[in-house]
């Protein structure tokens, strides 16, 4: 081939490939124009899917698209009862950015608290100066979680004037606004706010918010909070101790130094804070306080050692639990001091304490006996089973009662038989608590002994038994529950309403509605609203309106008639 012909050949080939590339580019453009909106539309539809995983993915995908068409659907999705769906929807609205700001500001006024919460979160992620004033207004919201979200959002915006405005707001007449201001200052962590927040600890409504806020400051707040431990106001001392415990390591050495304070209330506050830090440096000073002359100090130290869960405390706590030589100081009331030591041993869960705790079951003081029984249940050593069963037969009903939960911690045939025996106890509280303890085992042996409790003279026990039997899928249990339903036993219906909704017996709606109105059960109302039975849904809406409950339907709970095709063998239809 001549050079001229070769040149012409390669020019033709080149034009051909350029044409192919142009065609491919056009196809990509068409794909972008047609395919992307299709995917957005599909994701918007998936926001209503019954499967929360599908809704989560759809909420995320709409953020990737950054489509303005997704704004309103995502805002509606903020009311989803799945927290992850709400969180992804808020994140996606933030990714869409500026076009979402005005709709989100409007959403801050929604009647649904979850929408307000998610809207504030999204606005904080966007971080525009335009959102400051609407977020400050949201600090007055009646919902604590919404105020928390608005406070976090304001901290993300980093407006230079927010700190001064929030410090001033700590004195606002609106209690919700004061609480929201404290939350915001805790998120921003400007040291100028520490003293005003400590002063706010005297404000009962702001107490929780200010305490949580101070706990976020870290080392800069330690000295002012140590000083606050000496305040005459108990709530200030308690809250300062709580905040120091949240601060943790930076507060440990100053707190240890405060253990020598002349004021026992200051010492107890410092002890409580040290326990909350769970710092290993606090253990030896706290062990030393187990021999303090004051009972209340020893008791506080034992409780704090239980918080640390440090094995070094086991032997000193065993010695303290069996120590009967202490005296009560004149200005203090007698405290259940050995019982606190037993409780601490239960928190540490060290098997070295088992024999001493078993011995304590024979103590004359019921408080010590119950604390030892509870500790043995938490440790879970099977050596405790027979001594606990023996205690369950005591003539003292208080002792029989306090051993129920510890027995319920052991999945053992001996404990199951003992708890079944308690179902016939003359004390209603013991019958009810034993039934609840048996529910943990999911053992078929418990069904027959529970059925008679459907006719118990106490309504709350009938309800407990019904709730447990309703989950058993046992033929005898189902038939006994249906018989109680026909007897208009609303306590039984209140306990096993999931079963009755799932069975969806024609004409049974009236009994469920009567039960709702008699027991005023918000969970039952929500399940009725979700049941997909029009009559139950209407009754639930009326109940919610009458009780001022902003109830929204969602895709969880029993569906009307869903169990009619899956009855256990022998169950009556």
């Amino acid at each position: 081939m001549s050079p001229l012909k070769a040149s012409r050949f390669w020019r033709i080939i080149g034009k051909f490939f350029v044409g192919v590339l142009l065609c491919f580019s056009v196809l990509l453009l068409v794909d972008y124009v047609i395919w992307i909106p299709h995917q957005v539309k599909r994701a918007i539809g998936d926001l209503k899917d019954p499967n929360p995983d599908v809704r989560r993915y759809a909420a995320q995908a709409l953020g990737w698209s950054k489509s303005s068409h997704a704004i309103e659907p995502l805002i509606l999705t903020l009311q989803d009862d799945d927290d992850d769906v709400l969180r992804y929807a808020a994140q996606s609205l933030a990714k869409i950015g500026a076009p979402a700001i005005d709709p989100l500001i409007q959403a801050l006024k929604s009647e649904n608290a979850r929408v307000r919460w998610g809207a504030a979160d999204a606005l904080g992620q966007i971080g525009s100066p335009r959102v400051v004033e609407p977020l400050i207004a949201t600090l007055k919201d009646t919902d604590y979680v919404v105020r928390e979200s608005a406070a976090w959002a304001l901290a993300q915006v980093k407006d230079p004037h927010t700190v001064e405005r929030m410090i001033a707001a700590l004195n606002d007449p609106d209690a919700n606004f004061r609480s929201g201001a404290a939350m915001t200052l805790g998120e921003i962590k400007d040291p100028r706010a520490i003293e005003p927040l400590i002063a706010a600890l005297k404000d009962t409504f702001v107490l929780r918010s200010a305490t949580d806020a101070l706990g976020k400051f870290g080392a800069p707040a330690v000295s002012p909070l140590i000083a606050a431990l000496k305040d005459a106001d108990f709530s200030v001392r308690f809250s300062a101790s709580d905040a120091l415990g949240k601060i943790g390591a930076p507060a440990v050495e100053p707190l240890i130094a405060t253990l020598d304070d002349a004021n026992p209330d200051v010492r107890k506050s410092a002890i409580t804070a040290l326990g909350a830090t769970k710092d290993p440096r606090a253990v030896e000073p706290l062990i030393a306080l187990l021999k303090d002359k004051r009972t209340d100090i020893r008791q506080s130290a034992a409780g704090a050692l239980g918080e640390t869960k440090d094995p070094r405390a086991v032997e000193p706590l065993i010695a303290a639990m069996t120590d009967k030589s202490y005296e009560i100081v004149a200005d203090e009331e007698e405290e259940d001091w050995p019982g606190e030591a037993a409780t601490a041993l239960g928190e540490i869960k060290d098997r070295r304490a088992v024999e001493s705790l078993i011995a304590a079951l024979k103590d004359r003081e019921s408080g010590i006996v119950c604390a030892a029984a509870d500790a043995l249940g938490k440790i879970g050593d099977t050596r405790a089973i027979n001594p606990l069963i023996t205690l369950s037969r005591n003539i003292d009903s208080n002792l029989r009662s306090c051993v129920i939960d510890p027995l319920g911690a052991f999945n053992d045939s001996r404990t199951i038989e003992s708890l079944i025996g308690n179902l016939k106890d003359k004390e209603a509280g013991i019958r009810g608590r034993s039934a609840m303890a048996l529910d943990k085992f999911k053992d078929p042996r418990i069904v027959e002994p529970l059925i008679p409790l459907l006719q118990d003279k106490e309504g709350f026990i009938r309800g407990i038994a019904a709730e447990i039997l309703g989950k058993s899928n046992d033929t005898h249990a189902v038939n006994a529950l249906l018989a109680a339903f026909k007897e208009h036993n609303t306590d039984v219906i209140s306990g096993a309403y999931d079963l009755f909704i799932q069975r969806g017996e024609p004409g049974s709606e009236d009994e469920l509605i009567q039960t709702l109105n008699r027991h005023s059960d918000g969970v039952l109302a929500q399940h009725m609203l979700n049941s997909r039975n029009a009559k139950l849904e209407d009754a639930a809406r009326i109940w919610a309106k009458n009780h001022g409950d902003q109830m929204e339907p969602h895709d969880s709970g029993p569906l009307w008639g869903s169990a009619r095709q899956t009855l256990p063998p022998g169950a009556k239809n």
Side-chain angles (χ1 to χ4, degrees):
M1 182 182 294
S2 68
L4 181 59
K5 288 183 178 180
S7 175
R8 288 180 63 191
F9 172 78
W10 287 113
R11 281 201 301 272
I12 292 169
I13 293 297
K15 288 178 180 179
F16 172 77
F17 278 107
V18 169
V20 170
L21 287 172
L22 285 171
C23 289
F24 186 69
S25 300
V26 170
L27 287 172
L28 283 177
L29 182 60
V30 170
D31 193 44
Y32 180 81
V33 172
I34 296 174
W35 180 78
I36 292 295
H38 170 72
Q39 294 293 70
V40 169
K41 185 176 180 180
R42 178 178 176 180
I44 289 171
D46 285 346
L47 292 174
K48 298 179 180 179
D49 194 277
N51 186 335
D53 290 330
V54 174
R55 300 199 304 275
R56 289 171 199 150
Y57 181 79
Q60 282 183 296
L62 288 170
W64 300 329
S65 77
K66 297 186 178 180
S67 170
S68 60
H69 296 291
I71 294 173
E72 289 301 331
L74 284 168
I75 288 176
L76 288 173
T77 302
L78 295 175
Q79 62 188 304
D80 197 289
D81 62 334
D82 185 291
D83 286 348
D84 286 335
V85 175
L86 186 155
R87 181 164 53 86
Y88 289 136
Q91 289 174 355
S92 290
L93 286 161
K95 288 176 181 176
I96 293 170
I101 290 177
D102 288 334
L104 283 168
I105 289 172
Q106 190 62 33
L108 292 174
K109 302 174 185 177
S110 169
E111 292 184 0
N112 188 303
R114 290 179 67 81
V115 173
R116 301 196 302 275
W117 164 30
D121 185 277
L123 288 169
Q125 293 181 59
I126 292 171
S128 167
R130 290 173 52 201
V131 309
V132 171
E133 293 304 325
L135 287 171
I136 287 177
T138 306
L139 293 177
K140 299 181 180 182
D141 198 283
T142 56
D143 188 282
Y144 190 89
V145 176
V146 174
R147 296 199 300 276
E148 276 188 321
S149 184
W152 174 86
L154 277 168
Q156 311 315 304
V157 179
K158 297 181 174 60
D159 183 274
H161 305 295
T162 300
V163 173
E164 293 89 341
R165 293 180 66 179
M166 293 300 99
I167 289 173
L170 291 175
N171 297 309
D172 193 271
D174 187 321
N176 288 327
F177 193 26
R178 298 197 303 276
S179 171
M183 294 175 185
T184 305
L185 291 168
E187 294 292 343
I188 296 174
K189 303 180 188 67
D190 189 302
R192 290 174 292 170
I194 294 174
E195 292 294 349
L197 283 168
I198 289 175
L201 294 177
K202 295 179 184 290
D203 183 338
T204 305
F205 196 90
V206 180
L207 188 64
R208 173 184 167 190
S209 304
T211 302
D212 290 344
L214 286 162
K216 295 177 180 179
F217 277 84
V222 171
S223 293
L225 285 169
I226 292 287
L229 292 179
K230 302 183 180 183
D231 195 280
D233 189 323
F234 170 77
S235 65
V236 174
R237 296 196 306 273
F238 181 84
S239 299
S241 168
D242 191 7
L244 286 163
K246 288 182 170 71
I247 289 171
V252 171
E253 294 299 337
L255 283 168
I256 290 173
T258 309
L259 295 177
D260 294 327
D261 195 277
N263 187 331
D265 290 330
V266 174
R267 297 173 69 201
K268 285 189 287 186
S269 296
I271 290 167
T272 301
L274 282 169
T277 67
K278 298 179 173 58
D279 192 293
R281 292 172 291 169
V283 174
E284 293 300 336
L286 289 171
I287 287 174
L289 291 177
L290 293 177
K291 296 181 179 180
D292 194 272
K293 66 179 182 179
R294 290 188 63 95
T295 307
D296 55 353
I297 296 295
R298 296 196 297 271
Q299 185 181 39
S300 296
L305 286 166
E307 288 280 328
T308 68
K309 296 180 171 54
D310 193 299
R312 288 177 289 170
V314 171
E315 295 297 341
L317 283 168
I318 290 173
M321 182 177 66
T322 56
D323 179 19
K324 301 292 185 181
S325 64
Y326 61 87
E327 297 180 359
I328 304 299
V329 178
D331 66 339
E332 63 174 344
E333 297 180 1
E334 184 170 354
E335 305 271 0
D336 182 14
W337 143 240
E340 190 65 48
T343 299
L345 288 166
E347 295 299 323
I348 297 173
K349 296 182 175 67
D350 192 301
R351 294 181 186 275
R352 287 177 290 167
V354 170
E355 293 298 338
S356 297
L357 288 166
I358 289 173
L361 294 178
K362 298 178 180 179
D363 198 279
R364 291 177 299 173
E365 297 292 331
S366 61
I368 297 172
V369 174
C370 289
D374 187 63
L376 287 166
K378 290 179 177 177
I379 294 171
D381 190 299
T382 55
R383 287 175 289 172
I385 291 177
N386 286 334
L388 288 171
I389 289 174
T390 299
L391 184 61
S392 73
R393 299 172 184 146
N394 196 285
I395 60 172
D396 186 336
S397 62
N398 289 327
L399 296 182
R400 296 202 306 278
S401 178
C402 74
V403 80
I404 292 170
D405 289 338
L407 282 172
F410 295 92
N411 191 356
D412 185 283
S413 60
R414 291 170 291 171
T415 61
I416 292 174
E417 292 300 329
S418 177
L419 289 167
I420 286 174
N422 282 353
L423 298 179
K424 296 180 180 179
D425 196 281
K426 64 181 180 179
E427 295 291 334
I430 292 175
R431 297 196 301 275
R433 289 184 62 189
S434 297
M436 289 189 287
L438 284 166
D439 186 33
K440 301 174 187 175
F441 299 125
K442 313 301 178 191
D443 191 298
R445 286 175 292 174
I446 73 174
V447 171
E448 292 299 333
L450 280 170
I451 288 175
L453 293 188
L454 296 177
Q455 304 298 326
D456 195 277
K457 63 182 179 180
E458 298 292 342
F460 79 93
I461 292 180
R462 296 197 295 272
I464 291 170
E467 182 177 357
I468 298 168
L469 292 169
K471 297 180 289 187
S472 69
N473 201 36
D474 179 272
T475 300
H476 293 161
V478 171
N479 289 336
L481 289 166
L482 290 174
F485 188 95
K486 292 176 181 177
E487 293 168 359
H488 314 292
N489 190 332
T490 58
D491 293 301
V492 170
I493 298 169
S494 178
Y497 53 72
D498 278 4
L499 171 71
F500 299 123
I501 291 173
Q502 287 170 334
R503 286 183 63 86
E505 298 290 344
S508 65
E509 295 95 333
D510 289 340
E511 290 290 347
L512 288 163
I513 293 168
Q514 182 181 346
T515 300
L516 170 63
N517 292 329
R518 177 175 176 180
H519 291 267
S520 198
D521 186 336
V523 178
L524 172 55
Q526 184 67 66
H527 283 204
M528 287 169 60
L529 187 61
N530 301 340
S531 68
R532 299 186 187 174
N533 176 288
K535 191 170 183 178
L536 294 182
E537 290 174 16
D538 289 343
R541 289 191 180 93
I542 292 170
W543 182 92
K545 183 179 179 181
N546 291 339
H547 289 78
D549 194 325
Q550 296 179 357
M551 196 173 286
E552 300 287 342
H554 50 71
D555 297 318
S556 63
L559 298 180
W560 183 257
S562 60
R564 289 183 64 79
Q565 304 303 317
T566 57
L567 298 177
K572 297 174 184 176
N573 203 334

